[in-house]
Amino acid sequence: SEKFVALNTAFTATGAVLYVPKGVEINSPVIVQHTLSGDHKAAFPHTLVILEDSAKATLVEYFVSAVSDEVHLVSGVNDLHAAPGAQLTYVGVQNWSRRTLAFQTNSIAVERDARVLSLNLHLGGNQTRHESHSRLLGSGAHCEMLALTVASGDHEFDQRTLQTHQAPHTTSDL
């Protein structure tokens, strides 16, 4: 896993940052789209989400190919952080071309009494690997990690999750 994160770190040229200050609630979802166009292209998007104490937001992130039969390589990274009492909903929708090799690594940090819902939809790609690591850092932290995968033909999806409960009275649901 670390080699794909290192690849992303070395070549990141695009990405998004969502920062929500203490106590601020964003009622409409924030939408980010990463589109890869052109045969034999690569992308290394990095998304950083920081919700301060008692903040609330939803981020919907789309990962798509402009043309369904182009060859692509993708190595994406997300860092999602919910401070004490924050509520984050993250939805990732991946619909890469049928000839894409894709790696996605999500790191989720949930502090005291914060809640994170992470929903990932896997629709495209030739071979895709998606890893999520949820770290529950404070008492009362909760994380739900959900996925829906639609495969056909010779699609290959490799999905891995890890929940690390680093404090007492934390919960997670996979």
Side-chain angles (χ1 to χ4, degrees):
S1 300
E2 292 82 17
K3 64 184 164 241
F4 300 115
V5 173
L7 183 67
N8 177 277
T9 301
F11 293 106
T12 291
T14 62
V17 175
L18 173 60
Y19 169 75
V20 184
K22 181 178 181 177
V24 173
E25 293 187 18
I26 300 175
N27 294 321
S28 297
V30 176
I31 310 293
V32 174
Q33 181 167 319
H34 306 279
T35 303
L36 195 51
S37 180
D39 206 17
H40 294 89
K41 299 290 182 178
F44 306 93
H46 193 139
T47 299
L48 175 62
V49 177
I50 300 170
L51 270 60
E52 285 193 345
D53 295 15
S54 302
K56 184 177 180 180
T58 297
L59 176 69
V60 179
E61 191 167 34
Y62 293 96
F63 302 90
V64 297
S65 296
V67 178
S68 65
D69 65 346
E70 293 179 331
V71 175
H72 296 148
L73 169 67
V74 181
S75 179
V77 171
N78 287 349
D79 291 302
L80 312 175
H81 185 261
Q87 294 182 40
L88 172 62
T89 299
Y90 172 83
V91 179
V93 181
Q94 174 277 111
N95 195 14
W96 294 119
S97 77
R98 292 278 297 148
R99 296 173 64 199
T100 295
L101 175 61
F103 304 94
Q104 180 68 37
T105 304
N106 290 358
S107 176
I108 304 168
V110 189
E111 293 191 33
R112 180 184 43 79
D113 297 324
R115 298 184 67 79
V116 173
L117 169 64
S118 175
L119 169 61
N120 291 280
L121 306 172
H122 308 283
L123 305 173
N126 181 32
Q127 293 177 305
T128 62
R129 179 174 178 168
H130 185 270
E131 292 190 17
S132 290
H133 181 191
S134 173
R135 292 176 295 121
L136 300 146
L137 304 173
S139 181
H142 177 76
C143 184
E144 288 182 69
M145 299 168 65
L146 309 174
L148 174 64
T149 302
V150 179
S152 64
D154 60 353
H155 275 160
E156 183 179 320
F157 292 99
D158 178 359
Q159 298 176 55
R160 301 168 186 217
T161 63
L162 177 63
Q163 297 81 36
T164 305
H165 295 259
Q166 294 179 241
H169 310 293
T170 58
T171 57
S172 63
D173 193 1
L174 172 60

